[in-house]
Amino acid sequence: MEGTRIDRWLWAARFFRTRSQAKTAVDGGHVRLNGARTKPAKEVKAGDTLTIRRGFAEYTVEVTGLAERRGNAEAAALLYVETPESAQRREAEAARRKMERAGLATSGIRPTKRDRRQLAELKGGIPD
């Protein structure tokens, strides 16, 4: 097998639940093949780089295997390798979103006295 359709590969690698969801994502520009926007019928070959955006997560993966059919999760994990930078970016983004949901928005500037009091109260401590 030389190549397989990108929407079929995304479905077989378990990035999307259905092939139509994969096709919609490719049409919407959420999937890039070697840095360029693509169409669902474009063929993916081993060694290609895909950037896949799903919700808040963005994956950068290198295609290591091809599949026409969807298999179990272990078989799907053999079809690609995620880059270390991509995994690190996703984890940092998830941690940032988790902190924001807890009420700890990081603004990048030094907190004011009021902000420090709110943080201490949120953490369950006694304000200074």
Side-chain angles (χ1 to χ4, degrees), residues 8-78:
R8 185 170 283 196
W9 186 89
L10 289 166
W11 169 71
R14 294 181 169 258
F15 281 103
F16 296 97
R17 294 191 98 154
T18 64
R19 232 177 107 194
S20 64
Q21 285 177 345
K23 179 187 178 303
T24 303
V26 174
D27 282 335
H30 298 284
V31 178
R32 294 190 172 267
L33 176 64
N34 297 323
R37 205 169 160 164
T38 186
K39 293 183 177 182
K42 182 76 175 175
E43 288 205 348
V44 177
K45 296 174 181 69
D48 285 344
T49 302
L50 291 173
T51 305
I52 305 156
R53 196 172 64 232
R54 286 182 42 206
F56 292 107
E58 184 172 305
Y59 301 85
T60 303
V61 298
E62 183 178 337
V63 178
T64 57
L66 300 175
E68 288 282 334
R69 300 177 65 180
R70 188 175 171 112
N72 58 17
E74 291 82 19
L78 299 175

Side-chain angles (χ1 to χ4, degrees), residues 46-123:
D48 285 344
T49 302
L50 291 173
T51 305
I52 305 156
R53 196 172 64 232
R54 286 182 42 206
F56 292 107
E58 184 172 305
Y59 301 85
T60 303
V61 298
E62 183 178 337
V63 178
T64 57
L66 300 175
E68 288 282 334
R69 300 177 65 180
R70 188 175 171 112
N72 58 17
E74 291 82 19
L78 299 175
L79 297 178
Y80 63 91
V81 174
E82 185 175 10
T83 62
E85 298 85 20
S86 170
Q88 188 178 21
R89 250 192 342 256
R90 276 189 314 102
E91 289 170 6
E93 177 67 19
R96 186 189 63 76
R97 284 194 341 270
K98 186 176 181 181
M99 283 179 50
E100 285 180 356
R101 281 194 308 267
L104 301 171
T106 57
S107 62
I109 59 173
R110 185 174 176 195
T112 63
K113 188 172 186 177
R114 179 174 181 242
D115 293 336
R116 287 194 304 274
R117 286 182 179 156
Q118 288 176 343
L119 282 169
E121 188 176 323
L122 183 66
K123 291 180 180 179

